[in-house]
């Protein structure tokens, strides 16, 4: 044996390749790729994410990663920027006219709280309360809401109605402390919508049960004493979409999906703070133990920041999370949690939690970036 030669015939500093008997330099894979490179059909790929593989709304950094495109500073109250935007903006523009931007039609019911005199729901003689317009509206009609603060606990069921405000900064629904939510959408209201308005008050924001294809678009749910949006299965399936919206300064849960289907896209959930029992999550998707109905979430191109305890919780449910940022998740006053994503299963009837996550950035969590317990 030549000095410095290993029993397999390779020199010192070389590795023997089983199968073809080759000797390759140490640190080189049989394919010819070096340590830190992945063998692909196209050759050797360095560790990290190829620039072209960054999700929409993200840009490649210089270290094989992807950075989200967002404003350098936090957006102030009532303004937002989703992943891919560089400046803070209004949730929706206001226009210059009373009904600007609202998709009015022959069946539209008009509302203006400042109107004096008789009302018949026309543009000339609008209702002064939103509930009057809901009650008078035929199925599928638009309720066009002029600027104003409407102190009402709205109930909508049995038909689809589209509540459409001038803009969230000028149209607000203010719920009372005695109600479960400022807006309740019950069964038989498939296809109902809330657009271009704000919901606030001493209760929850919007509660949806037993209706499908419910859309909340360009809404501002803020400063609520309970969950901003709660959707739960009822006598019939429930599914809801939150799109292009801002949820901030809610208590307990920003968004709570219980035994229902939900899509959250292009939205911001921030500043959720604990309820009286100490619980506080930015978004929870959970099975309904009472009905054993499993829940499902599609979350994309959204921002969760400055929430308390956990940014997103997937409990005994299914979730697909893409192109989303969860950052600066803080512990509660007792110092507990501070986690970006928690996928868990406890006392579940419908099986373990399952989450698929891609193209996301989770950063500056006080405790844990991702925690998986009894789930996948």
């Amino acid at each position: 044996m030549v000095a410095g030669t290993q029993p397999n015939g390779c020199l010192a500093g070389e590795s023997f390749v089983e199968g073809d008997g080759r000797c390759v330099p140490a640190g080189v894979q049989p394919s010819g790729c070096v340590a830190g490179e992945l063998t692909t059909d196209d050759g050797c790929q360095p560790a990290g994410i190829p620039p072209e593989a960054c999700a929409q709304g993200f840009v490649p950094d210089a270290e094989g990663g992807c950075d989200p495109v967002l404003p350098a500073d936090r957006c102030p109250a009532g303004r937002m920027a989703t992943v891919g935007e560089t400046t803070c903006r209004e949730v929706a523009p206001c226009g210059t006219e009373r009904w600007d931007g609202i998709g009015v039609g022959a069946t539209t019911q008009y509302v203006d709280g400042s109107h004096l005199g008789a009302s018949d729901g026309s543009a000339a003689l609008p209702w002064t309360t939103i509930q009057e317009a809901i009650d008078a509206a035929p199925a599928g009609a638009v309720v066009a809401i002029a600027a104003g603060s409407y102190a009402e606990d709205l109930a909508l069921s049995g038909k689809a109605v589209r509540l459409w405000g001038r803009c969230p900064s000028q149209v607000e629904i203010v719920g009372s402390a005695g109600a479960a939510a400022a807006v309740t959408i019950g069964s038989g209201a498939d296809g109902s919508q809330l657009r271009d308005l704000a919901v606030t008050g001493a209760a929850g924001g919007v509660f949806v049960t037993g209706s499908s294809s419910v859309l909340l678009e360009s809404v501002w749910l803020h400063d609520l004493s309970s969950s901003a949006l709660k959707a739960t299965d009822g006598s019939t399936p429930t599914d809801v979409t939150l799109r292009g919206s801002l949820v901030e300064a809610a208590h307990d849960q920003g968004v709570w999906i219980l035994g229902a289907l939900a899509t959250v896209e292009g939205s911001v959930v921030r500043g959720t703070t604990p309820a009286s029992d100490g619980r506080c999550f930015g978004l929870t998707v959970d099975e309904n133990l009472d009905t054993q109905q499993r829940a499902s979430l599609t979350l994309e191109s959204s921002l969760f920041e400055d929430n308390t305890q956990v940014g997103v919780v997937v409990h005994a449910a299914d979730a697909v999370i893409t192109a989303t940022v969860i950052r600066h998740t803080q512990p509660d006053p007792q110092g507990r949690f501070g986690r970006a994503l928690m996928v868990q299963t406890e006392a579940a009837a419908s099986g373990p939690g399952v989450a698929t996550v891609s193209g996301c950035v989770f950063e500056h969590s006080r405790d844990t970036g991702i925690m998986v317990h009894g789930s996948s």
Side-chain angles (χ1 to χ4, degrees):
M1 179 181 295
V2 178
T5 302
Q6 303 175 63
N8 57 22
C10 295
L11 299 175
E14 293 183 331
S15 298
F16 182 75
V17 179
E18 297 288 349
D20 61 14
R22 288 185 299 124
C23 297
V24 298
V28 176
Q29 303 172 62
S31 62
C33 295
V34 300
E37 292 183 335
L38 176 68
T39 304
T40 71
D41 293 339
D42 298 323
C44 301
Q45 175 184 309
I49 303 168
E52 66 275 10
C54 289
Q56 185 173 357
F58 294 74
V59 293
D61 62 17
E63 300 176 339
C66 303
D67 288 331
V69 176
L70 286 166
D73 299 318
R74 302 281 212 284
C75 292
R79 299 179 68 87
M80 62 180 284
T82 56
V83 178
E85 296 179 324
T86 58
T87 58
C88 300
R89 58 172 173 82
E90 297 283 351
V91 179
C94 288
T96 58
E97 303 296 332
R98 184 162 55 161
W99 318 113
D100 243 9
I102 299 176
V104 300
T107 61
T108 296
Q109 299 291 307
Y110 294 84
V111 181
D112 187 343
S114 66
H115 173 70
L116 299 175
S119 299
D120 61 10
S122 64
L125 301 173
W127 305 111
T128 58
T129 70
I130 300 171
Q131 190 64 56
E132 287 178 301
I134 291 173
D135 295 341
V142 168
V143 171
I145 309 169
S149 180
Y150 298 85
E152 302 184 55
D153 300 319
L154 302 179
L156 199 168
S157 63
K159 61 183 177 182
V161 175
R162 293 176 286 166
L163 305 183
W164 200 329
R166 178 173 172 177
C167 64
S169 64
Q170 294 189 17
V171 177
E172 66 175 6
I173 301 167
V174 183
S176 70
V183 180
T184 298
I185 301 175
S187 60
D190 298 356
S192 290
Q193 299 180 4
L194 275 69
R195 301 171 66 107
D196 294 15
L197 52 78
V199 180
T200 187
V206 178
F207 176 47
V208 183
T209 182
S211 285
S212 62
S213 302
V214 174
L215 172 65
L216 282 69
E217 184 166 13
S218 298
V219 298
W220 179 25
L221 308 173
H222 69 99
D223 297 287
L224 293 149
S225 65
S226 187
S227 301
L229 170 61
K230 181 179 179 181
T232 182
D233 59 312
S235 56
T236 55
T238 299
D239 75 80
V240 61
T241 295
L242 180 70
R243 179 184 299 143
S245 295
L246 171 60
V247 176
E248 64 178 340
H251 285 78
D252 188 0
Q253 314 252 6
V255 178
W256 189 7
I257 309 303
L258 187 64
L261 307 180
T263 299
V264 177
E265 56 187 32
S267 294
V268 177
V269 179
R270 68 184 183 218
T272 310
T273 54
S276 57
D277 63 1
R279 181 178 59 184
C280 181
F281 307 133
L283 180 152
T284 297
V285 55
D286 193 356
E287 73 168 355
N288 188 337
L289 275 176
D290 292 335
T291 63
Q292 298 187 6
Q293 179 63 45
R294 193 170 177 85
S296 178
L297 169 71
T298 299
L299 172 60
E300 58 187 33
S301 302
S302 294
L303 170 64
F304 289 73
E305 65 180 355
D306 300 317
N307 294 297
T308 305
Q309 287 196 344
V310 186
V312 175
V313 176
V314 179
H315 178 263
D318 301 304
V320 177
I321 305 172
T322 57
T324 287
V325 176
I326 307 176
R327 65 185 186 183
H328 299 287
T329 309
Q330 301 299 315
D332 63 19
Q334 287 72 46
R336 298 174 299 181
F337 301 105
R339 299 168 179 170
L341 173 65
M342 190 160 66
V343 188
Q344 64 176 2
T345 307
E346 295 177 358
S350 64
V354 178
T356 301
V357 181
S358 63
C360 296
V361 167
F362 303 156
E363 61 183 359
H364 301 294
S365 302
R366 177 60 179 83
D367 176 45
T368 305
I370 300 174
M371 192 200 88
V372 183
H373 175 242
S375 302
S376 62

